[in-house]
Amino acid sequence: NHLVELICTQPLLTRAGKPFATTRRPGDGVMHVDRSGIVLYPSPNAVAIMRRAGYEQRVRTSRASELPGGGYAIVPILGTTQCLEYEADVLGRTLLYRAVGLGAHYGALVLVEDRTEAKRQELALQVKDATIREVHHRVKNNLQTVASLLRMQMRRVSSGEAKDALQESMDRVSSMAAVHEL
């Protein structure tokens, strides 16, 4: 209700005054933190995410500043109507916090997502992409080398028939290089 009231009265803005928007994703944990920084409600997903990040204390009634990354992701917007997105790396896990300050009286609504697996997949994809680009580059270079060798051989041959055959081969290799590049 407090979030709906806030949205009805003003746009959601970041601390820098830029528009803020987010959506709840499957697996997100939800927390309501009061104005003094105490977690009033953690969803079961939020509790599970905190456990995976090494937080063993009871999440409900904990201080937001004690949660993994909470001092940077939640505390700065308490008592404000500002929004904050913060990614925290904690004990080998990556937590994405999206916090909305609900004003001076109501604390904050916080979404927390464990992005560890997504980050690993993104990194693996980047490595594969770089590898594929390198292979393509090497294949193109090798095709250009073959075309150059054919060109050198063509210069040494005196027979017109042999020159035509080497030119045709060179054109085919160049075509393959062009198709490969496309």
Side-chain angles (χ1 to χ4, degrees):
N1 287 338
H2 305 305
L3 179 61
V4 172
E5 287 175 20
L6 178 65
I7 292 171
C8 288
T9 59
Q10 67 186 54
L12 295 179
L13 300 173
T14 65
R15 295 172 70 199
K18 295 181 180 177
F20 180 83
T22 191
T23 57
R24 184 161 185 254
R25 300 176 187 125
D28 277 357
V30 178
M31 292 186 282
H32 180 210
V33 180
D34 74 8
R35 65 182 179 195
S36 64
I38 303 296
V39 178
L40 298 177
Y41 169 78
S43 71
N45 280 356
V47 173
I49 290 168
M50 291 300 121
R51 294 286 179 268
R52 285 194 304 266
Y55 190 75
E56 295 299 325
Q57 289 80 11
R58 180 183 170 134
V59 177
R60 186 172 184 272
T61 69
S62 290
R63 299 191 76 53
S65 59
E66 296 171 355
L67 299 175
Y72 298 104
I74 303 168
V75 174
I77 55 101
L78 291 175
T80 73
T81 57
Q82 298 171 338
C83 303
L84 179 62
E85 186 172 300
Y86 182 80
E87 194 171 86
D89 290 316
V90 182
L91 296 175
R93 305 219 58 92
T94 301
L95 305 182
L96 176 64
Y97 285 94
R98 293 164 341 263
V100 178
L102 300 174
H105 304 293
Y106 302 114
L109 178 68
V110 180
L111 298 175
V112 61
E113 176 185 3
D114 187 345
R115 300 248 322 126
T116 306
E117 191 56 37
K119 280 286 215 185
R120 283 189 190 129
Q121 289 175 351
E122 287 171 15
L123 182 59
L125 188 59
Q126 288 173 354
V127 169
K128 287 178 184 176
D129 185 53
T131 302
I132 288 170
R133 275 190 270 118
E134 179 62 24
V135 167
H136 279 291
H137 179 71
R138 288 182 184 204
V139 168
K140 186 182 103 182
N141 284 348
N142 287 339
L143 289 170
Q144 288 174 342
T145 300
V146 170
S148 294
L149 289 171
L150 289 170
R151 190 176 299 111
M152 285 172 43
Q153 187 66 34
M154 195 171 72
R155 284 188 213 129
R156 293 186 179 156
V157 172
S158 58
S159 165
E161 193 175 301
K163 281 188 179 201
D164 290 343
L166 288 170
Q167 180 64 48
E168 187 177 329
S169 296
M170 196 173 69
D171 290 345
R172 285 182 179 166
V173 170
S174 295
S175 295
M176 288 170 53
V179 168
H180 180 76
E181 191 167 347
L182 289 175

